[in-house]
Amino acid sequence: ERVAIETHIKELERGTLREALTKVVAGQEPLSTSLTMNLEHLIEQTSHAGKAQPRTQYDRNQMRDIETAIQASFELSFKYRSQGAKKALQRQVRPIGVVYNRFAYLIAATGNKEAVSYRMDMLQDVKVTDIGFVPPEGFNFKNWVNESFGVYHGDDLLKIQIRFSPVVAERASKITFHPSQEQRPQRDGSLILRMECRGHSEICHELMHPDWIGNVKIESPDNLINAYSNELEHAKSTIA
């Protein structure tokens, strides 16, 4: 029901009905906020459940404001300090959606850029403005998300082939690495994975996971092979 209302809101012209429906939806807990915040609480309260990974804390009210702005197509203002920056800079953007990876990212249009990602744990002083905007025509958020292996979209769309050794082939066969993937078991027990996507750095980081490293080979393209080699060399350089 909530999805149907949100879809209807986006189809309405600005006016009293759209504003009323937006307020109704805003008064409810957004789905992504509920999943992010309540899952942690549920795990903590369940004796036979646990979560073994680094945790990022998010502000519930901030997440609610972001989702309200996305649903109603109002611009967001906030201060943002990117990693390595000395101070936060003021931003005003046109929010499009939220992507969940290791971190949660706000995806927003700004200036003439169709989609820019902002790590949500680095947002400060988030405010929903009274400035409305028209979502980019022809832009499909789900399709945009599915173009990349992760969040980053600044590199080329590549046709990728990866081979998992027989040692880890069965394990790899049970994982959906990307919506475009095609898996082909080989006679020697290895597994060929083909996919077409962006996010080269995030692919490299996945393949450096202890589950795969030493049992995986990038067969094409050459620029991804070189990127992976560089990532491995960089990892080695951190060892004293």
Side-chain angles (χ1 to χ4, degrees):
E1 292 179 357
R2 181 189 178 93
V3 172
I5 294 174
E6 290 177 358
T7 301
H8 185 52
I9 288 172
K10 291 184 178 297
E11 294 173 348
L12 292 172
E13 297 290 335
R14 294 194 176 277
T16 305
L17 178 57
R18 178 168 177 165
E19 292 176 2
L21 287 175
T22 299
K23 288 179 180 179
V24 170
V25 173
Q28 303 173 359
E29 184 84 305
L31 176 60
S32 58
T33 303
S34 180
L35 287 173
T36 303
M37 312 298 278
N38 295 343
L39 178 60
E40 295 284 353
H41 178 71
L42 180 61
I43 290 173
E44 290 294 334
Q45 298 300 314
T46 305
S47 61
H48 58 271
K51 189 174 183 181
Q53 67 178 47
R55 304 179 187 182
T56 303
Q57 296 184 2
Y58 299 102
D59 184 283
R60 184 186 294 268
N61 293 328
Q62 176 176 292
M63 293 186 71
R64 185 182 293 113
D65 287 344
I66 288 171
E67 295 220 16
T68 298
I70 293 169
Q71 293 156 4
S73 297
F74 282 109
E75 293 190 2
L76 273 175
S77 70
F78 52 82
K79 291 180 181 178
Y80 187 73
R81 185 173 65 83
S82 56
Q83 191 165 348
K86 293 183 179 180
K87 63 178 182 179
L89 299 177
Q90 187 68 39
R91 305 286 189 192
Q92 186 156 320
V93 302
R94 304 181 295 280
I96 300 169
V98 176
V99 174
Y100 291 90
N101 196 289
R102 181 182 179 188
F103 302 100
Y105 292 83
L106 167 67
I107 309 302
T110 176
N112 60 359
K113 296 180 181 179
E114 191 174 61
V116 177
S117 58
Y118 300 91
R119 256 180 59 177
M120 288 176 58
D121 59 309
M122 294 184 173
L123 303 180
Q124 304 170 16
D125 301 331
V126 175
K127 295 181 177 63
V128 181
T129 74
D130 58 359
I131 302 173
F133 69 93
V134 178
E137 185 176 355
F139 180 83
N140 185 297
F141 179 66
K142 294 288 189 184
N143 290 345
W144 181 86
V145 171
N146 288 339
E147 277 188 359
S148 180
F149 188 82
V151 175
Y152 187 66
H153 281 68
D155 45 24
D156 295 330
L157 191 65
L158 295 182
K159 292 183 178 180
I160 297 162
Q161 180 165 307
I162 297 168
R163 183 185 295 268
F164 293 94
S165 78
V167 176
V168 297
E170 182 179 0
R171 185 182 305 173
S173 71
K174 297 177 181 178
I175 297 176
T176 300
F177 291 93
H178 189 264
S180 70
Q181 77 176 40
E182 175 188 346
Q183 294 183 340
R184 291 193 176 181
Q186 303 298 297
R187 289 184 179 180
D188 65 355
S190 64
L191 178 74
I192 294 292
L193 171 70
R194 295 191 180 112
M195 55 188 179
E196 186 173 1
C197 59
R198 306 180 194 275
H200 313 166
S201 179
E202 288 160 297
I203 295 171
C204 293
H205 294 166
E206 171 62 29
L207 298 182
M208 290 170 68
H209 190 279
D211 281 352
W212 317 126
I213 198 163
N215 286 292
V216 65
K217 180 181 180 182
I218 301 172
E219 296 189 334
S220 65
D222 289 341
N223 52 345
L224 185 59
I225 295 171
N226 293 334
Y228 186 55
S229 177
N230 291 337
E231 291 284 358
L232 290 173
E233 288 300 320
H234 179 67
K236 289 179 185 178
S237 71
T238 64
I239 302 174

